[in-house]
């Protein structure tokens, strides 16, 4: 069965301590890999879309990269306001049918 | 408003009651989606509309779940004879064109069935 697996489940960082979140997927012919941020009590907020291996996208302290089997979300010098759950998803059988991982809950302490 | 709006924000229903959840997508967005998110899980796809046409309802968990978008704008997700396992956050998302991504999500309706 096609899956999206995220690791770690939870990550605690000190402010300024850079790290990476992992998203692995098991499907051939990836049509799109998506990263979302979700704050408690809110809906997911779109961050990035990646379509092909080697592609990279950046936004402030976040950089997303894609290989043939996994994607990484790199967080450089994080701040407490980066604390959230980060969700990874790939496009499934039909348009907009995104298959999400369970997310990585990131906590950044000052 | 600028974003996807969902109401009510919270809903408590007794087992067996019917509920209706409303979604106002971003103005002009063609595509609309419903997702279900259980506690500690990622969202799971329920159904997809393009304008008023329901093009994919493969994720609806049972025939107690019904969604409509009669005029191609506001959508309603109805759950009949609610069960405890229906407790979850129901998220609505919309996208501008027929190209469904990226999705813009609302803040969801938290349904608790007692």
């Amino acid at each position: 069965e096609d899956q999206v697996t995220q690791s770690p489940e939870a990550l605690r960082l000190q402010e300024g301590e850079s790290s990476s979140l992992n998203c692995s997927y098991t499907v051939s012919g990836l049509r799109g890999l998506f990263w979302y941020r979700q704050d408690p009590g809110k809906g997911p907020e779109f961050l990035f879309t990646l379509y092909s291996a080697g592609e990279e996208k950046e936004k402030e302290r976040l950089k997303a990269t894609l290989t043939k089997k996994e994607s990484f979300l790199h967080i450089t010098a994080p701040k407490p306001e980066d604390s959230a759950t980060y969700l990874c998803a790939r496009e499934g059988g039909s348009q907009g049918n995104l298959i999400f991982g369970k997310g990585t809950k990131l906590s950044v302490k000052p | 408003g600028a974003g996807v709006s969902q109401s009510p924000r919270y809903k408590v229903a007794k087992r067996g009651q019917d509920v209706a959840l409303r979604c106002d997508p971003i103005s002009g967005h063609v595509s609309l989606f419903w997702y279900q998110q259980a506690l500690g899980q990622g969202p799971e796809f329920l159904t997809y509309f393009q304008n008023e046409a329901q093009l994919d309802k493969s994720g609806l968990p049972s025939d107690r779940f019904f969604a409509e978008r009669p005029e191609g704008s506001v959508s309603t997700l109805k759950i009949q004879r609610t069960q405890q396992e229906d407790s979850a956050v129901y998220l609505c998302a919309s996208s501008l064109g027929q190209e469904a991504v990226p999705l813009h999500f609302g803040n969801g309706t938290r349904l608790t069935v007692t």
Side-chain angles (χ1 to χ4, degrees), chain A residues 12-67:
Chain A
R12 293 183 180 182
L13 299 174
Q14 288 295 127
E15 184 171 2
E17 180 186 2
S18 301
S19 187
S20 297
L21 313 182
N22 177 266
C23 170
S24 62
Y25 55 90
T26 55
V27 67
S28 57
L30 182 72
R31 304 208 316 263
L33 190 291
F34 307 90
W35 283 98
Y36 283 82
R37 168 188 171 132
Q38 188 171 27
D39 292 295
K42 303 286 189 180
E45 176 188 348
F46 172 74
L47 292 174
F48 304 111
T49 306
L50 302 166
Y51 288 104
S52 55
E55 189 175 358
E56 298 184 353
K57 288 193 177 173
E58 287 188 66
K59 179 180 179 181
E60 296 182 356
R61 295 176 293 282
L62 301 177
K63 182 169 78 173
T65 62
L66 183 66
T67 72

Side-chain angles (χ1 to χ4, degrees), chain B residues 37-72:
Chain B
Q37 186 172 25
L39 190 64
Q41 304 294 313
E44 291 192 359
F45 172 82
L46 294 178
T47 188
Y48 160 48
F49 290 86
Q50 190 176 102
N51 296 305
E52 68 278 5
Q54 189 174 22
L55 299 186
D56 187 348
K57 53 182 181 180
S58 62
L60 295 177
S62 78
D63 58 8
R64 297 186 295 104
F65 287 70
F66 172 76
E68 60 182 5
R69 193 186 186 198
E71 297 180 356

Side-chain angles (χ1 to χ4, degrees), chain A residues 87-106:
Chain A
L87 295 165
C88 167
R90 67 163 185 85
E91 199 159 10
S94 64
Q95 286 189 356
N97 182 345
L98 297 187
I99 299 173
F100 282 87
K102 292 183 179 181
T104 293
K105 185 175 182 180
L106 174 67

